[in-house]
């Protein structure tokens, strides 16, 4: 069984036995510590092995795998998570704009409000990324059907006489 499968199974079991709040409290505390360190040293690409990172942050390899799962989409070279094991060397070459965007998308205010972001992006840049995020969630219907156009349902009637009633 892969470390990624162990992570997903562990989450299910943890939530069943201790509850969802307890899981998020523990996981977010670990995640926050790691992100603080990564963002504080954002100019250097960190190379790590999951087992060593687990020891460094005094947690399990499964929780570290969860962190890798969370950051994976923000890496310049994402990993096939099913093939990652305890001894795989990971290179955290992070696309910081994408990371900030993904934190907004995850609604992880405990992460995108970290003070370490102050040394990375200006307030204006963060607002720009936030605007881009909000715009990505806005649905716009570009092809508006006019009342005298043919109905898009394919009936051959004008929209106003068909589906536009």
């Amino acid at each position: 069984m892969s470390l990624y499968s162990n992570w997903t199974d562990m989450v299910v079991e943890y939530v069943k036995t201790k509850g969802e709040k307890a899981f998020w409290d523990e996981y977010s505390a670990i995640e926050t510590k790691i992100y603080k360190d990564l963002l504080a040293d954002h100019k250097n690409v960190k190379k790590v092995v999951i087992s060593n990172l687990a020891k460094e942050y005094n947690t399990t390899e499964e929780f570290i795998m969860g962190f890798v799962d969370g950051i994976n989409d923000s890496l310049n070279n994402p990993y096939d998570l099913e093939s990652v094991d305890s001894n795989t060397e990971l290179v955290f070459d992070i696309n910081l704009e994408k990371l900030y965007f993904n934190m907004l998308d995850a609604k992880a205010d405990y992460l995108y409000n970290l003070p370490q972001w102050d040394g990375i992006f200006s307030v204006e840049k963060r607002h720009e990324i936030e605007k881009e995020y909000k715009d990505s969630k806005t649905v716009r219907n570009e092809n508006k059907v006019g009342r005298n156009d043919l109905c898009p349902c394919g009936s051959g009637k004008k929209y106003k006489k068909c589906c536009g009633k």
Side-chain angles (χ1 to χ4, degrees):
M1 190 180 281
S2 73
L3 187 56
Y4 182 72
S5 296
N6 291 350
W7 152 246
T8 56
D9 292 346
M10 186 273 301
V11 171
V12 171
E13 192 58 35
Y14 195 110
V15 170
K16 278 184 191 174
T17 57
K18 297 181 183 176
E20 192 171 340
K21 184 182 180 332
F23 167 77
W24 282 110
D25 287 346
E26 185 172 346
Y27 177 74
S28 61
I30 294 163
E31 188 179 36
T32 301
K33 288 178 196 171
I34 298 171
Y35 273 120
K36 281 182 177 179
D37 293 344
L38 284 176
L39 295 174
D41 192 24
H42 69 277
K43 293 187 180 185
N44 296 315
V45 174
K46 185 166 179 134
K47 295 179 182 179
V48 295
V49 174
I50 288 184
S51 58
N52 294 343
L53 202 58
K55 288 176 191 160
E56 182 180 342
Y57 289 97
N58 196 29
T59 190
T60 65
E61 292 176 0
E62 288 81 10
F63 270 109
I64 298 300
M65 187 66 218
F67 171 78
V68 173
D69 183 19
I71 199 172
N72 197 43
D73 287 341
S74 303
L75 298 176
N76 288 321
N77 299 306
Y79 292 94
D80 171 20
L81 297 177
E82 287 291 342
S83 66
V84 172
D85 65 27
S86 307
N87 298 312
T88 304
E89 183 179 63
L90 302 173
V91 178
F92 290 147
D93 182 16
I94 305 168
N95 178 329
L96 294 168
E97 284 188 35
K98 196 170 183 182
L99 177 63
Y100 192 81
F101 185 96
N102 289 340
M103 287 177 175
L104 290 168
D105 192 34
K107 297 174 181 41
D109 59 328
Y110 63 97
L111 296 175
Y112 64 77
N113 286 325
L114 288 172
Q116 286 77 6
W117 284 110
D118 295 340
I120 299 171
F121 296 132
S122 66
V123 173
E124 294 80 19
K125 180 65 175 174
R126 283 182 273 171
H127 286 309
E128 182 183 313
I129 297 169
E130 287 170 20
K131 184 179 180 324
E132 181 184 326
Y133 167 70
K134 287 176 185 171
D135 287 347
S136 75
K137 298 300 175 194
T138 304
V139 177
R140 292 187 179 92
N141 186 357
E142 298 294 329
N143 300 328
K144 189 172 181 181
V145 179
R147 51 183 266 127
N148 287 317
D149 293 340
L150 290 176
C151 191
C153 76
S155 68
K157 297 179 183 177
K158 287 186 177 183
Y159 180 69
K160 68 182 179 186
K161 298 276 187 180
C162 190
C163 294
K165 279 187 173 179

